Amino acid sequence: MSNKFAPDNSDVSVVLCGQAGQGIQTVERILVRLLKLSGFNVFATKEYMSRVRGGSNSTEIRVSSQRISAFVDRMDILIPFHKGALNHVQKRISPQTLILGDEEIIPDDFQTSGNRYVPVPFAQIASELGGKIFVNIVAAGVVTGMFQVEQSLLGNFIRKFFAEKSGEVVQKNIEAIKRGWEIGRKLLDSQKSRLESWKKQDVSEQILLSGAEAVGLGALAGGCNFLSSYPMSPSTGVMVFLSQQMDEFDLIVEQAEDEISAVNMALGASYAGARAMVTTSGGGFALMTEGVSLAGMTEIPVVIHLAQRPGPATGLPTRTEQADLELALYSGHGEFPRVIFSPGRLEDAFFLTQKAFNLADKYQIPVFILTDQYFMDSYANLPLLDASSAKMEKFIVRTKKGYRRYELTEDGISPRGIPGLGEGLVGVDSDEHDLEAHITEDLDLRKRMVEKRLKKLDSIQKDIVPPELFGSNDYKILVVGWGSTYGVIREALEKLGREDTAFLHFKQVYPLHEKTRDYLEKAERTIIIENNATSQFARLIKLYAGVDIEARILKYNGLAFSVEEVRARLKDIIG
Amino acid sequence: MDTHIYDMGDIDIAWCPGCGNYSILKIVKLALAELDIKPHELVLVSGIGQAAKIPHYFRTNFFNGLHGRAIPPATAIKAVNPGLTVIAESGDGDMYGEGGNHFIHAIRRNPDITNIVHNNMVYGLTKGQASPTSQLGFRTPVQVKGVFLEPLNPIALAIALDASFVARAYAGDIEQSKVIIEEAISHKGFALVDVFHPCVSFNKVNTHGWFKEHTYYLDDSHDPLNRLNAFQKAIEKERLPLGIFYKNPGKPTFEENVGLYKQDKTPLSFREKERGARLVNLIRSKK
Ligand SMILES: Cc1ncc(C[n+]2csc(CCOP(=O)(O)OP(=O)(O)O)c2C)c(N)n1
């Protein structure tokens, strides 16, 4: 096989593998942006170790003619940045994988054993330019050359990307990317390549977001103006994103001393009229559960972004899993309503987070956004989000004299005042309380208060986001998934190409939509796909929709599913 | 202003007859009335315990949260609406035990709130276990061999952290305590007032008599701006000083530091700025 790059399929997967601290993230950021600017659809996802230096991390960038949002095992191009790289991704190297790299880091036996290997003297070029740090940019340049990114885009892009660096540094980087580009261009077999037809003008105009940014933007759209949290991977991205927006959006972002403080601060802020949120991961959320219960009792709105990672305990800090569904569902002592969203697409993350603020405010409840490391750290292009369709709904009332915070009403929702707005006084209490929020042991009133709080669930029904069906309505086999597995399941099913199989994706996992049962009962066979070991969502479906799911495809080694894997495992089941 | 404005009328109070909490309730109302702070301008934030029931005996806005967690919501309430006077008030177990971490970091964060701690050196509501301020040797049904943990010294701790305002009062002295609490509320920045008071049911050691014998007032010779002197006073053991130990009035507050109120004084709670255009710009910047 020729060592020339001649893509004709509709997508290419480029994998960069290096040590922590080597800057492959910079390459990723540059490439994703430049390729998108050039008109390619892109999707990038990474897996990395919980360390600041060393180890082996990899990033996959899929470049495609169509919108994609899934990880593939397949590697079409591999750029290793250190000696251990090939080992790290060995299982994924195939005879088709085109490997580009310095001879020094590719083991000899590897160079001779029939792999498609093209030596590229990254280190030497970089040192000619002034030092090792340019290796990344040269590598980025090589890939842009291979994909026929217009050379004219490079200079401006680098100037913007390194806007804060000195003129000399910027100039060196421009030189570096151009040197790489020249090499890349020669690697492309432009006769056979169909790349030009992949590029689309409208894609180049699209935006690029990570899952963390999509949640952050959704929070801004939902009116969030207070975030208190404690750093914990993989949830910190949202905190970082919102911190950057503090001044522009009149927003308080505070790093609390611990998660207990964070959630109690958020509730204080919300009580006083802010739109408050916390972002955390399982271990941090475990500490916040008292606050969930407090939100339930005091009926204070709060949005909780819970980015899952593998547990128990510290688990695998930088890996992914969907194993905190039950934690979110059952968190907080006592009985009270809640809502749990689980975005699958970047758009979902934006609109659901925005909606979470409205629902929290409307029903005075905690609302969860359940994501995971895979979702947080993945990037893709998407059409411009329509912020105007994201309406902020506020339910705060101006109080009158004699106002009572917990007035008993038909639907259980008491008009919510805030201190300082109107003539009334606003109390809230974590004890069982009377209508004015004063502590009570009147047990008849207790019963009515429990019923008042739970009654809100009835009204919530009309706001449940329905599951989305993909594929024919006349399905015989129904594949069920929730949250971040959306992209991978869709693509695997498309590749499988079976008319009789449809996919039902849940972006709200609790309360379940009333149609859930019908969808499931209509199928002859049902299969659930979850990134956990005990199929928590299947259990939830059994409990609330009363349907047993027949087959399970589970994964819990800390990595996200790949398209190939889902396809193969589905095939095993369906035949 | 008359303190009746804060009164709840004829209500059932869960404190024991003779409990020091009654005096503190009275003192806080007197101080607020003196400062002319109206019920709707005030938020009383508390945790859980006998002391923490104080908002139920007070006609005002209140947030009676969880055990140990008065300070975090109080901090946030002040930050989103600096126009409100915010008092975080609970017992010693609540503030220094369960909420110890928040206490420490609130001093660092320096929100402009007043932290009043009803320090009876025992857990009242849970019926008489040791608190972080219980004295060495104090016997309880749980600490059967007597307390052997070094008592927490909140005054020394706060001064060590360069707190903005540090004082101690004694519930038995309504007049002086009122003056101290008034000053604490007026002070800009985090103001700690640790208030000694007896628990008539579960602390038979630290009684009114004991407090009278073991306390004295700092006099005019004490300079509250001198941190070293303040610390020296704070670690005295024989007789415990009352009064204002330390003030660091220049410290910027949390609300000032978050930077939202430099130009626009409107509380965050009431800001209604349209975000649409800014959001569209931000989204477009992601191209
Ligand atoms: C998380 C939690 N742990 C324990 C308790 C039980 N509890 C209630 S009040 C209290 C201690 C009360 O002591 P203190 O704060 O000194 O107040 P006092 O009753 O003496 O006024 C405890 C342990 C609780 N309510 N919540």
Side-chain angles (χ1 to χ4, degrees):
Chain A
M1 190 186 280
S2 145
N3 279 354
K4 284 256 177 171
F5 176 52
D8 49 359
N9 296 334
S10 62
D11 87 274
V12 173
S13 125
V14 182
V15 173
L16 314 163
C17 185
Q19 294 180 313
Q22 273 192 321
I24 58 168
Q25 273 201 51
T26 311
V27 189
E28 172 195 335
R29 283 171 54 216
I30 292 176
L31 276 180
V32 164
R33 282 168 179 75
L34 268 172
L35 289 163
K36 197 264 329 180
L37 262 181
S38 219
F40 292 106
N41 285 281
V42 287
F43 170 79
T45 183
K46 52 180 151 290
E47 56 82 25
Y48 54 103
M49 294 181 170
S50 179
R51 52 194 288 176
V52 179
R53 291 264 181 268
S56 266
N57 301 335
S58 71
T59 285
E60 170 175 299
I61 302 171
R62 290 183 70 194
V63 188
S64 169
S65 59
Q66 277 151 39
R67 213 182 142 185
I68 32 165
S69 60
F71 170 74
V72 288
D73 284 323
R74 192 187 82 237
M75 301 192 293
D76 298 311
I77 299 173
L78 169 65
I79 308 186
F81 287 87
H82 72 120
K83 276 212 169 96
L86 291 180
N87 244 344
H88 184 66
V89 290
Q90 191 158 29
K91 283 191 206 151
R92 297 170 57 195
I93 298 176
S94 78
Q96 279 73 42
T97 309
L98 183 61
I99 301 165
L100 312 174
D102 265 306
E103 274 173 302
E104 290 92 276
I105 59 173
I106 311 287
D108 290 346
D109 57 334
F110 203 87
Q111 299 186 19
T112 52
S113 63
N115 290 292
R116 293 177 77 199
Y117 167 60
V118 178
V120 181
F122 289 120
Q124 192 201 321
I125 300 172
S127 74
E128 285 166 23
L129 288 163
K132 266 206 310 221
I133 51 162
F134 296 107
V135 163
N136 290 325
I137 311 298
V138 177
V142 171
V143 178
T144 58
M146 293 171 81
F147 282 91
Q148 289 176 304
V149 171
E150 299 74 0
Q151 205 192 15
S152 58
L153 289 177
L154 304 180
N156 262 344
F157 178 83
I158 292 292
R159 262 186 287 277
K160 260 209 214 143
F161 194 84
F162 290 113
E164 275 146 41
K165 299 264 160 70
S166 77
E168 198 197 329
V169 174
V170 171
Q171 214 40 52
K172 282 263 166 75
N173 278 300
I174 293 179
E175 238 176 278
I177 201 163
K178 287 191 173 162
R179 287 278 299 267
W181 188 89
E182 290 293 344
I183 297 171
R185 197 179 54 126
K186 288 180 199 133
L187 288 171
L188 177 73
D189 185 340
S190 42
Q191 297 288 299
K192 286 196 202 145
S193 145
R194 309 256 307 115
L195 278 179
E196 278 308 319
S197 68
W198 295 13
K199 294 187 186 175
K200 308 222 166 60
Q201 179 61 32
D202 65 316
V203 171
S204 73
E205 299 289 314
Q206 290 188 353
I207 54 171
L208 263 176
L209 291 181
S210 67
E213 288 173 318
V215 169
L217 283 170
L220 290 175
C224 175
N225 55 8
F226 190 95
L227 178 103
S228 44
S229 289
Y230 188 86
M232 185 170 190
S233 299
S235 69
T236 318
V238 173
M239 191 181 181
V240 172
F241 175 83
L242 288 174
S243 299
Q244 315 297 318
Q245 310 305 331
M246 275 181 81
D247 292 341
E248 185 65 19
F249 284 88
D250 287 2
L251 170 75
I252 293 176
V253 177
E254 181 60 5
Q255 178 174 326
E257 55 273 19
D258 53 37
E259 287 85 352
I260 298 172
S261 179
V263 73
N264 281 283
M265 274 191 196
L267 292 174
S270 182
Y271 158 79
R275 306 267 275 197
M277 175 177 182
V278 293
T279 177
T280 188
S281 188
F285 180 66
L287 292 177
M288 288 187 179
T289 55
E290 63 165 54
V292 178
S293 187
L294 180 59
M297 183 53 130
T298 52
E299 304 190 55
I300 297 177
V302 67
V303 174
I304 298 160
H305 172 236
L306 169 49
Q308 302 161 98
R309 73 190 214 188
T314 310
L316 289 165
T318 58
R319 308 285 171 184
T320 203
E321 202 158 85
Q322 294 182 301
D324 292 339
L325 170 59
E326 286 177 338
L327 175 67
L329 180 63
Y330 297 116
S331 59
H333 47 294
E335 297 168 303
F336 54 91
R338 72 190 72 202
V339 163
I340 308 175
F341 290 135
S342 54
R345 273 175 288 218
L346 291 164
E347 288 92 331
D348 294 345
F350 176 77
F351 287 109
L352 291 175
T353 307
Q354 175 261 329
K355 191 182 169 84
F357 281 89
N358 289 343
L359 288 193
D361 213 36
K362 185 171 176 186
Y363 297 112
Q364 307 171 17
I365 51 164
V367 178
F368 291 81
I369 314 291
L370 209 54
T371 65
D372 51 44
Q373 180 269 330
Y374 171 68
F375 190 81
M376 281 289 100
D377 290 338
S378 297
Y379 269 93
N381 59 290
L382 65 157
L384 214 56
L385 290 165
D386 182 7
S388 64
S389 64
K391 282 265 167 301
M392 180 173 145
E393 298 163 22
K394 254 188 147 167
F395 299 87
I396 291 172
V397 298
R398 177 178 282 275
T399 57
K400 298 206 181 72
K401 262 209 162 63
Y403 169 79
R404 298 188 297 185
R405 174 64 188 85
Y406 300 109
E407 205 67 59
L408 294 168
T409 60
E410 189 85 6
D411 57 6
I413 303 167
S414 319
R416 187 167 73 96
I418 58 172
L421 186 69
E423 287 154 51
L425 296 172
V426 183
V428 292
D429 188 9
S430 73
D431 299 279
E432 189 56 275
H433 41 256
D434 62 18
L435 278 58
E436 267 180 76
H438 287 299
I439 188 167
T440 185
E441 296 209 27
D442 172 342
L443 302 185
D444 292 325
L445 182 56
R446 149 72 184 178
K447 185 163 169 279
R448 275 151 70 205
M449 281 294 173
V450 171
E451 287 158 3
K452 159 194 161 38
R453 290 186 288 266
L454 290 177
K455 222 187 305 178
K456 295 190 285 186
L457 254 177
D458 299 340
S459 321
I460 291 171
Q461 298 301 322
K462 64 177 182 288
D463 278 311
I464 296 177
V465 180
E468 230 179 312
L469 185 78
F470 299 94
S472 155
N473 246 325
D474 301 321
Y475 54 84
K476 294 207 164 53
I477 301 167
L478 187 65
V479 178
V480 177
W482 61 282
S484 69
T485 53
Y486 162 82
V488 77
I489 298 176
R490 272 201 75 179
E491 194 175 329
L493 280 177
E494 273 160 27
K495 297 240 153 90
L496 207 59
R498 288 186 57 138
E499 298 272 300
D500 62 347
T501 307
F503 170 37
L504 191 63
H505 178 257
F506 286 81
K507 47 188 158 186
Q508 173 162 352
V509 284
Y510 181 82
L512 282 180
H513 194 270
E514 56 180 10
K515 289 229 177 91
T516 304
R517 193 192 174 103
D518 296 344
Y519 273 123
L520 289 158
E521 286 190 335
K522 217 177 103 179
E524 284 168 19
R525 302 183 68 184
T526 48
I527 305 167
I528 199 155
I529 302 184
E530 298 189 59
N531 224 171
N532 60 39
T534 61
S535 59
Q536 297 186 11
F537 189 50
R539 212 149 43 230
L540 192 151
I541 287 176
K542 168 75 177 160
L543 190 60
Y544 292 102
V547 185
D548 277 307
I549 297 208
E550 185 194 320
R552 280 133 223 251
I553 296 178
L554 306 173
K555 181 169 185 174
Y556 43 89
N557 68 348
L559 295 175
F561 283 105
S562 71
V563 173
E564 295 92 333
E565 182 181 15
V566 172
R567 182 185 169 177
R569 291 174 71 178
L570 277 172
K571 215 165 172 198
D572 283 349
I573 295 172
I574 304 175
Chain B
M1 216 168 73
D2 197 295
T3 58
H4 290 319
I5 192 164
Y6 301 111
D7 289 348
M8 290 287 294
D10 186 21
I11 49 161
D12 173 31
I13 294 194
W15 293 331
C16 312
C19 173
N21 283 326
Y22 289 101
S23 310
I24 303 178
L25 176 64
K26 187 168 172 190
I27 293 163
V28 176
K29 285 181 178 175
L30 281 168
L32 286 163
E34 191 76 34
L35 293 170
D36 210 27
I37 294 166
K38 314 241 163 27
H40 67 273
E41 298 165 338
L42 171 73
V43 183
L44 208 52
V45 186
S46 74
I48 294 296
Q50 283 295 81
K53 287 178 181 163
I54 194 160
H56 300 290
Y57 313 138
F58 224 111
R59 217 176 63 79
T60 186
N61 299 299
F62 66 94
F63 186 117
N64 183 177
L66 296 171
H67 186 46
R69 316 293 177 223
I71 287 178
T75 302
I77 292 164
K78 185 71 184 179
V80 303
N81 191 348
L84 297 166
T85 296
V86 180
I87 298 176
E89 188 164 358
S90 275
D92 45 306
D94 187 286
M95 288 291 180
Y96 305 141
E98 189 87 41
N101 202 27
H102 313 311
F103 174 70
I104 290 172
H105 293 278
I107 294 173
R108 297 180 51 228
R109 195 172 275 120
N110 199 33
D112 182 12
I113 64 174
T114 308
N115 185 203
I116 300 174
V117 186
H118 300 208
N119 184 358
N120 57 3
M121 305 178 179
V122 72
Y123 280 12
L125 183 59
T126 47
K127 300 194 165 31
Q129 304 81 21
S131 98
T133 53
S134 294
Q135 297 198 315
L136 288 174
F138 182 68
R139 277 175 196 275
T140 82
V142 173
Q143 283 74 26
V144 288
K145 297 183 177 160
V147 167
F148 47 77
L149 274 71
E150 184 66 31
L152 185 132
N153 181 336
I155 303 292
L157 176 60
I159 296 168
L161 290 165
D162 205 8
S164 172
F165 181 103
V166 186
R168 182 154 56 207
Y170 164 50
D173 186 344
I174 297 207
E175 225 5 80
Q176 292 266 16
S177 298
K178 185 196 89 174
V179 174
I180 293 170
I181 287 182
E182 251 183 79
E183 197 166 330
I185 294 170
S186 308
H187 178 88
K188 193 188 84 171
F190 185 86
L192 167 68
V193 187
D194 182 78
V195 188
F196 280 157
H197 78 105
C199 172
V200 291
S201 298
F202 299 109
N203 189 337
K204 306 292 182 197
V205 179
N206 310 101
T207 58
H208 268 304
W210 187 92
F211 283 119
K212 285 202 176 110
E213 206 170 300
H214 288 84
T215 59
Y216 75 98
Y217 278 97
L218 294 167
D219 61 20
D220 287 348
S221 70
H222 176 72
D223 174 10
L225 298 177
N226 185 325
R227 191 165 164 215
L228 268 182
N229 276 356
F231 194 79
Q232 226 148 27
K233 287 288 170 196
I235 58 174
E236 283 182 5
K237 280 199 166 157
E238 287 297 294
R239 288 174 71 223
L240 305 162
L242 301 170
I244 297 167
F245 285 72
Y246 181 58
K247 281 197 280 194
N248 179 357
K251 267 185 139 178
T253 63
F254 175 55
E255 306 80 75
E256 287 169 346
N257 281 326
V258 295
L260 287 184
Y261 301 111
K262 284 201 182 94
Q263 271 119 40
D264 185 354
K265 301 281 179 231
T266 317
L268 195 59
S269 316
F270 304 148
R271 288 191 195 178
E272 295 275 358
K273 272 194 230 163
E274 196 27 68
R275 276 182 171 178
R278 286 176 292 166
L279 192 60
V280 168
N281 283 341
L282 180 60
I283 293 172
R284 285 186 184 280
S285 76
K286 297 291 165 188
K287 275 193 179 174

